[in-house]
């Protein structure tokens, strides 16, 4: 920390402190700087230090401290206004607005004092000749705060009608306040229309678009614009996360989580800011924060999670129920203080309304990692499907066993997913009704469906069902149940035992069917069981099956089944399903035999047959398999169609992990044809369903990796950064591969660079480079090292940047990539120029870049490579010229400056000559170098030469007569803009040269 010895060092120290993060440390430093300013004996130094103190207090949680330094400033102004320079005079009047809003947010300040201050502000603004716009805006804030709608509307109208002047808030802040009022009055669409210029980046400031993004969340949810709401949350939270003064906006993001089924993320947000529970410097934002804490905690309690541990004020552990009660008491006490001060009940009513809001969306997937509380996940209903689900069993107030039996039989005969539960309800009711004894057939059906529900544990229950079917006089179904028991054993890996177990039912059912002792469905059940077991032997082989006998035996079993049932299904859904499954088995056998084309056709047939039978949920597996084969065969259109069909036909019956996998595959296919926006939607769904399935660290992390990449493609940098950071928390080289980790770090580095977070971007790129350093192919390592150097340079870390560029240059040289090497040398030259006494080093580095281009040209072995090297040489000469021109120090003697400019002009001329050799492909590069050379000619006092260069540029674009011709010409907007800019600059150069001649 530098010592303050004079006014200049004070100003430097205040500027440095202003760049520090918001918070008590920055405030304490401002207080110390004021003490040091008072020792300098310069009134303006004290005034500036007080202004600095005011500013850091305002942008912190200690806003209540603003009043003392402002009162002192105002007293100094009244006593000696001549001590204030123009800037500090403006600043004094500017912070009147901060005082007005600051008093309003402090319940201990009487309302009469606020109104008196408002009058004082109006009086002083009038004396200073300022517009009433800022005054009316402040009056509006007072009226809106106390709930005086009529006065607020009057002040709002007057605010907008008054002229904008230097005291008006910036456009971004004004639009935020105007939109907030529209949303407050229930006019959400109007609010968003007002906020649009801020959201689109037309207007911004230190706190915008931060607060507009936060304020827009609930209006967007109310309007059903969920995609925008999600994007605003991800983008906006990133902006407010590190800003201590933005507790109110932070609260909006917690509220958004509570209203969209993202309770777990809401808890994560609370955990990041424990001080927000207790910081008392700004009571109004504390009230807002505590109100949404109540909202979130009571939402958790409604979901059965009142006893869950949650983050809260430091000093003890909290459950959701305890924190809800604590925060409610604190918030209502604060609201009561405001209402007592205001003489209205408005603040308390708003706080209660905020606490009792109902969710606006059951669950809005965000794409970021946040495990859903178990009770919430269990209670969540699956989303509706495009295809209507079969009607659920209707339970009467007094269930009738006969009705339930009939309904269960109908569901099982038609293979409905609810059949298992229907038979379980029959069993429960039969056990509850005294004196009821179900017949053997009903008990067999109950056992059969219980076994289905048990999955891998159901073998013994299938055997019991077989005994009951036999008792009921249905030997064929008894044999089919035994075959199902055998198949369960095959699923457990006991294939030989399963084949032995199915052998007897197989022989017996064929004999029984031949004798007329059973029917097709029962015989088909046994044949299907045997075929499934033989298919398990195929499945357990890796890759294509080598043993032809295994394939042949399985195929024979499937064709035997199809020979029995094909053409005999009629209206029997069960037999139709056997046919479809048989074709799916043949599809699998074809793929294992090395014939994926035949497999794809058979999978498509099986899926179609299931759909035509009215069993779309059975088609899903085969549509997914078809998609994989189509992808393998390069038929991306068929792959996409099959994946969409699988998602549609799965309806509410798809398990979460299956839905995640399908969405992820579809994201990759759609993204592969360039549809990044839709691909991002599917990757988002994949991440959501992976989390629901408890596969967040595996499948979910991969989905977030993909989602981040698709967002990067759309240049949605802030959203992508949030998602990618979330992905990196769970991506591992062991599970996902080090390539995925590197790519995620790479994308994240790109995002952070675009967001201006250059130091963090460098860190991410260096981390990725360290992993890539161990790869056999070093191109990625070199690229990442180069990008890291760029970020280090942009972060102002020149020494580290130079080292990184040098490392990248070594890697480029090793790879034989002259272009990368030359660019690293040029970058190092520019870094050297910015260093003290670095001009000679900069010249040497740029000269080395020129030499590398020339040497590589001599060794190039094809025309295309030579052309690229010529272009690189031209750009290097151009940059060399720019560097030399900038190296001419302003305080150097005239001869030194002229020599530097002459040398710069020589390099520019070389650049022009190189670009001329490249012809029309380099016309813009050539004209750019011509113009740069022309300006150097004027600096050297050569107007005729400058004019000649300007005319050369105009001749280069002679075919373009005017802007209209440009617009109708290439059709390329960027190209047209370049032509316009070049022509305009050439005209300016020509005019400057002519004026120089006249002198």
């Amino acid at each position: 920390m530098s010592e303050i010895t004079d006014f200049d060092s004070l100003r430097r120290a205040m500027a440095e402190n202003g760049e520090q993060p918001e918070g008590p440390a920055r405030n304490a430093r401002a207080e110390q700087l004021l003490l040091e300013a008072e020792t300098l004996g310069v009134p303006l130094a004290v005034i500036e230090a007080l202004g600095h103190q005011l500013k850091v207090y305002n942008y912190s949680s200690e806003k209540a401290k603003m009043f003392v330094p402002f009162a002192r400033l105002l007293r100094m102004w009244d006593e000696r206004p001549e001590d204030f320079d123009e800037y500090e005079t403006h600043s004094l009047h500017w912070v009147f607005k901060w005082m007005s809003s600051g008093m309003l947010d402090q319940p201990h300040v009487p309302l009469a004092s606020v109104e008196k201050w408002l009058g004082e502000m109006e009086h002083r603004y009038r004396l200073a000749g300022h517009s009433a716009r800022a005054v009316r805006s402040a009056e509006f804030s007072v009226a809106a705060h106390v709930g005086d709608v009529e006065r607020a509307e009057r002040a709002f109208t007057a605010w907008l009608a008054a002229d904008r002047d230097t005291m008006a808030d910036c456009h971004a802040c004004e639009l935020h306040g105007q939109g907030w009022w529209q949303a407050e009055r229930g006019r959400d669409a109007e609010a968003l229309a007002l906020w649009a210029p801020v959201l689109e980046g037309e207007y911004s400031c230190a706190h915008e678009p931060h607060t507009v993004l936060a304020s827009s969340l609930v209006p967007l949810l109310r309007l059903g614009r969920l995609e925008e709401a999600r994007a605003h949350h991800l983008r906006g939270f990133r902006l407010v996360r590190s800003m201590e003064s933005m507790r109110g906006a932070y609260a909006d993001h917690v509220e958004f989580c509570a209203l969209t089924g993202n309770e777990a993320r809401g808890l994560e947000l609370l955990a990041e800011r424990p001080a927000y529970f207790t910081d008392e410097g700004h009571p109004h934002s504390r009230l807002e924060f505590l109100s949404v804490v109540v909202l979130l905690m009571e939402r958790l309690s409604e979901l059965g999670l009142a006893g869950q541990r949650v983050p809260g004020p430091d000093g003890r552990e909290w459950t959701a129920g305890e924190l809800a009660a604590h925060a409610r008491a604190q918030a209502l006490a604060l609201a009561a203080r405001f209402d007592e001060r205001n003489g209205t009940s408005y603040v308390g009513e708003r706080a209660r309304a905020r606490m009792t809001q109902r969710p606006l969306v059951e669950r809005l997937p965000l794409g970021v990692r946040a495990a859903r509380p178990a009770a919430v996940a269990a209670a969540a209903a699956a989303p509706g499907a495009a295809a209507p689900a079969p009607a659920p069993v209707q339970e009467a107030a007094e269930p009738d066993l006969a009705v339930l039996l009939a309904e269960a039989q109908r569901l099982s005969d038609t293979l409905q997913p609810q059949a298992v539960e229907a038979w379980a309800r029959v069993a429960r009711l039969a056990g509850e009704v005294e004196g009821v004894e179900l017949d053997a057939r009903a008990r067999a059906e109950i056992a059969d469906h219980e076994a289905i529900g048990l999955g891998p544990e159901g073998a013994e229950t299938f055997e019991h069902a077989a005994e009951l079917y036999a008792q009921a006089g249905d030997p064929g179904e008894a044999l089919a149940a035994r075959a199902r028991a055998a198949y369960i054993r095959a699923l457990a890996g006991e294939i030989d035992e399963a084949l032995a177990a199915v052998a007897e039912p197989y022989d017996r059912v064929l004999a029984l069917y031949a004798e007329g002792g059973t029917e097709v469905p029962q015989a088909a059940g046994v044949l299907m069981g045997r075929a499934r077991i033989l298919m398990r032997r195929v499945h357990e082989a890796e890759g294509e099956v080598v043993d032809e006998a295994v394939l042949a035996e399985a195929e024979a079993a499937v064709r035997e089944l199809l020979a029995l049932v094909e053409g005999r299904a009629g209206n029997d859904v069960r037999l139709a399903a056997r046919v479809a499954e048989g074709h799916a088995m043949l599809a699998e056998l074809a793929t294992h035999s090395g014939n994926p084309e035949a497999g794809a056709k058979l999978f498509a047939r099986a899926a179609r047959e299931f759909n035509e039978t009215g069993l779309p949920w059975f088609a899903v597996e085969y549509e997914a398999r078809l998609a994989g084969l189509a992808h393998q065969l390069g038929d991306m259109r068929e792959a996409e169609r099959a994946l969409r069909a699988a998602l549609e036909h799965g309806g509410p019956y798809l398990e979460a992990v299956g839905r995640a996998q399908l969405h992820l595959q579809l994201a990759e296919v759609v993204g592969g044809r360039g549809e990044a926006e839709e691909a991002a939607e599917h990757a988002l769904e994949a991440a959501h369903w992976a989390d629901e399935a408890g596969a967040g660290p595996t499948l979910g992390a991969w989905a977030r990796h993909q989602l981040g990449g698709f967002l990067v493609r759309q240049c949605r940098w802030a959203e992508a950064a949030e998602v990618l950071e979330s992905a990196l928390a769970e991506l591992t080289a062991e599970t996902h591969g080090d390539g995925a980790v590197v790519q995620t770090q790479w994308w994240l580095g790109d995002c952070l660079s675009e967001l201006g977070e250059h130091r963090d971007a460098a860190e991410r790129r260096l981390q990725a480079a360290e992993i890539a350093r161990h790869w056999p192919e070093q191109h990625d390592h070199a690229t990442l090292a180069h990008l890291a150097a760029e970020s280090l340079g942009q972060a102002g870390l020149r020494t580290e940047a130079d080292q990184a560029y040098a490392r990248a240059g070594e890697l480029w040289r090793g790879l034989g990539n002259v272009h990368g090497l030359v660019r690293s040398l040029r970058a190092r030259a520019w870094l050297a120029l910015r260093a003290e006494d670095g001009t000679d080093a900069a010249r040497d580095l740029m000269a080395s870049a020129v030499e590398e281009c020339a040497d590589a040209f001599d060794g190039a072995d094809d025309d295309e490579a030579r052309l690229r090297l010529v272009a690189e040489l031209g750009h290097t000469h151009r940059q060399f010229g720019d560097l030399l021109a900038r190296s001419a120090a302003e305080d150097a003697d005239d001869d030194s400056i002229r020599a530097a400019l002459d040398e710069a002009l020589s390099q520019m001329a070389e650049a022009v000559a190189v670009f001329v050799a490249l012809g029309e492909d380099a016309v813009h590069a050539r004209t750019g170098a011509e113009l740069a050379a022309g300006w150097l000619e004027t600096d050297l006092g050569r107007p005729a030469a400058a004019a000649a260069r300007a005319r050369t540029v105009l001749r280069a674009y002679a075919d373009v007569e005017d802007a209209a011709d440009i617009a109708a010409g290439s059709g390329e907007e960027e190209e047209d803009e370049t032509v316009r800019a070049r022509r305009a600059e050439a005209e300016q150069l020509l005019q400057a040269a002519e004026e120089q001649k006249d002198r």
Side-chain angles (χ1 to χ4, degrees), residues 93-122:
H93 287 81
W94 180 268
V95 295
F96 261 96
K97 298 180 295 183
W98 294 357
M99 295 304 104
S100 174
S101 62
M103 290 180 176
L104 201 60
D105 292 333
Q106 302 288 335
H108 70 275
V109 178
L111 189 62
S113 297
V114 177
E115 294 284 8
K116 179 181 177 182
W117 190 257
L118 189 61
E120 179 76 7
M121 177 182 174
E122 183 167 16

Side-chain angles (χ1 to χ4, degrees), residues 79-330:
E79 292 173 354
R80 292 180 56 84
E82 64 273 16
D83 289 341
F84 288 70
D85 62 14
E86 183 178 355
Y87 178 81
E88 292 304 326
T89 300
H90 177 274
S91 296
L92 176 69
H93 287 81
W94 180 268
V95 295
F96 261 96
K97 298 180 295 183
W98 294 357
M99 295 304 104
S100 174
S101 62
M103 290 180 176
L104 201 60
D105 292 333
Q106 302 288 335
H108 70 275
V109 178
L111 189 62
S113 297
V114 177
E115 294 284 8
K116 179 181 177 182
W117 190 257
L118 189 61
E120 179 76 7
M121 177 182 174
E122 183 167 16
H123 171 68
R124 289 182 179 264
Y125 271 40
R126 189 182 303 115
L127 287 177
H130 296 307
S131 164
R133 190 177 181 93
V135 178
R136 297 285 76 81
S137 173
E139 181 188 4
F140 160 77
S141 298
V142 173
H145 173 76
V146 302
D148 188 342
V149 175
E150 185 177 341
R151 183 188 179 192
E153 291 283 14
R154 285 198 312 271
F156 186 84
T157 302
W159 167 21
L160 270 60
D163 293 335
R164 279 189 58 83
D165 67 352
T166 57
M167 282 299 114
D169 281 341
C170 74
H171 282 289
C173 288
E174 282 209 331
L175 288 173
H176 173 249
Q178 293 162 19
W180 174 84
W181 182 241
Q182 298 296 341
E184 190 73 8
R185 303 302 297 154
R187 299 185 284 264
D188 292 333
E190 290 87 340
L192 288 160
L194 280 165
W195 289 331
V198 182
L199 296 170
E200 293 165 6
E202 185 177 347
Y203 302 120
S204 63
C205 69
H207 276 186
E208 297 296 352
H210 314 45
T211 55
V212 163
L213 285 163
S215 296
S216 71
L217 295 172
V218 171
L220 284 168
L221 291 175
R222 288 195 294 242
L223 291 171
R225 292 161 60 175
L226 305 184
E227 295 294 327
E228 292 172 76
R230 175 195 298 114
H232 287 198
H233 169 62
L234 294 178
R235 179 182 163 204
F237 181 67
R238 186 171 194 84
L239 292 173
V240 303
R241 171 183 271 149
S242 62
M243 298 182 70
E244 186 200 46
S245 63
M246 302 206 71
R247 179 163 53 183
Y250 201 100
D252 291 340
H253 287 280
V254 176
E255 177 183 45
F256 167 84
C257 294
L259 297 177
T260 57
N262 287 287
E263 298 87 2
R265 180 165 172 82
L267 293 176
E268 290 179 359
L269 267 56
L270 295 186
E272 286 192 31
R273 282 289 186 179
Y276 276 172
F277 288 96
T278 53
D279 281 347
E280 296 182 348
H282 191 244
H284 194 262
S285 70
R286 183 167 180 245
L287 169 60
E288 292 174 325
F289 182 76
L290 291 172
S291 296
V292 300
V293 169
V294 174
L295 172 68
L296 178 60
M297 294 305 116
E298 295 196 344
R299 175 64 182 153
L300 289 171
S301 297
E302 287 176 14
L303 295 168
L305 298 168
Q308 177 170 317
R309 286 181 57 182
V310 295
D314 289 338
R316 56 161 288 187
E317 292 183 353
W318 297 88
T319 65
E322 291 167 344
L323 185 57
H326 171 80
R328 175 179 287 276
Q330 295 275 311

Side-chain angles (χ1 to χ4, degrees), residues 631-648:
H631 199 291
Q632 176 186 331
L633 294 167
D635 188 350
M636 306 312 292
R637 180 175 295 181
E638 176 65 2
E640 182 177 340
R641 184 208 63 75
L643 288 167
R644 291 187 190 279
L647 282 168
E648 176 186 349

Side-chain angles (χ1 to χ4, degrees), residues 727-743:
L728 280 171
E730 293 173 328
L731 276 176
T732 65
E734 294 75 19
T735 302
H736 306 94
D738 57 4
V741 177
V742 167
Q743 182 62 80

